[in-house]
Amino acid sequence: MRLERIELRQVRLPYVAPFETSGWREEGSHAILVCLEGEGVTAWGESPVGANPFYNEENYATAWAIQQEYLAPMLMAASHAGKLSEPRSVTPALARVRGNRMAKAGLEFAAWDWFGQAQGRSLASLLGAVRERVEVGVSVGIQKDIATLLQVVDGYLAQGYTRIKLKIRPGWDVEPTRAVRERWPALRLQVDANSIYHLADATHLAELDQFDLLLVEQPLEHDDIVDHAKLQPQLRSPICLDESIVSPAHARWAIELNACRVINIKPSRIGGLADSIEVHNLAQAAGMPVWHGGMLETGIGRAFSVALAALPNFTLPGDISANDRYFKRDIVTNPFTLNPDSTLTVPTAPGSGAELDHDFLETVTVARWELRG
Ligand code: NPG
């Protein structure tokens, strides 16, 4: 891959409804899009960073700065030194920069799109996908009361989604989960705490065991593995780690310590697709299922999620809903729509398969920057 130009864009794209978790509320996407151009190929990636550093340490401002000052120049230099012969060479080329994984992921995703297009191969085939459709669910943010929650869940079930995740926090955990479970006894249901509890809350968290949950996601601190290993034996529900698993090494530590029984893979959190595949493979070797999380990606990031979720060990439904669950109008002309069996169809076009709506993208771009090689 010989790059001639790297472009970054900040977009602002309002959500159909604000999204509220235990720690923050966001009204729209603040994603950074990455465009790579070279050898006649134009490729796109996305860093699905938020408005605030409340999920992890990154937000749109940190990613924007690190990409401009370090990552884009490093990628350009690696490309001109002939060091980017495959998409897997991007991660080592950016490795001197510690952390900042979402910032890196946008560039890495775009490189996969570039190689897919250049080789006339779909991203799914490059990644080793084994499925043509992937099962998906919806993540339901915190609502103002239980009646509203039941209405919102009912709406998603009516659209055909068959797995629901509830955001929980102290004061909004056992009762809303009970209400949903009582109304839909057979529903595949899971909860996500986004790091709001502490080990001392173990007895309270064990109350969730009565609701036959697929998993309890990231109950404890965002960077913890050890306390989760102490909590898991106190819960019947499987713990799933999200925030804590930022690299293949973290996945290995969690597996070795029995800190969880499931891993959520978000390739942006892990710094790209290459390391995400490694996490997938480590979990598979340990007999541990993984599933694909979501960062309310635009249509660009979503295409990467759907392709990755088609790997064999993604055996639980992903937080990868159809584009219209997030945006009234997305920046792609080929949004995903929900199939009647609660799946999305894996793209087969070369590269990521996302087709940009360039005119609309112009109207939602609030900043742009470019580097020429
Ligand atoms: O469908 O993309 C989606 C949202 C899934 O709940 C979801 N994401 O903690 O997993 C999470 C949460 C999240 C959203 C995290 C935005 C960070 C930012």
Side-chain angles (χ1 to χ4, degrees), residues 38 44 55 138 140 200-201 210 218 259 266 336-337:
W44 289 86
Y55 164 76
V138 179
V140 179
D201 300 317
Q210 59 186 307
Q218 195 72 36
K266 290 176 184 165
F336 291 95
T337 53

Side-chain angles (χ1 to χ4, degrees), residues 4 38 41 51 66 100 112 131 151 159 285 343 351:
E4 283 135 36
V41 175
I66 290 286
N100 293 282
W112 283 92
R131 290 189 196 97
Q151 231 170 36
Q159 288 173 37
T343 62

Side-chain angles (χ1 to χ4, degrees), residues 19 21 24 55 139 165 167 192 194 217 242-243 264 266 293-297 302 319-321 325-326:
F19 190 78
T21 74
W24 69 92
Y55 164 76
S139 170
K165 162 168 137 179
K167 291 290 190 182
D192 183 4
N194 286 111
E217 190 176 351
D242 170 3
E243 282 90 329
N264 162 329
K266 290 176 184 165
M295 293 292 294
L296 302 121
E297 283 86 352
R302 195 156 303 278
D319 276 351
I320 327 172
S321 317
R325 177 258 179 272
Y326 308 92

Side-chain angles (χ1 to χ4, degrees), residues 246-277:
V246 297
S247 73
H250 288 75
R252 182 172 60 75
W253 299 332
I255 291 166
E256 287 178 2
L257 290 176
N258 295 311
C260 60
R261 295 196 194 129
V262 183
I263 290 177
N264 162 329
I265 293 183
K266 290 176 184 165
S268 56
R269 185 194 71 225
I270 297 173
L273 295 163
D275 277 356
S276 297
I277 293 173

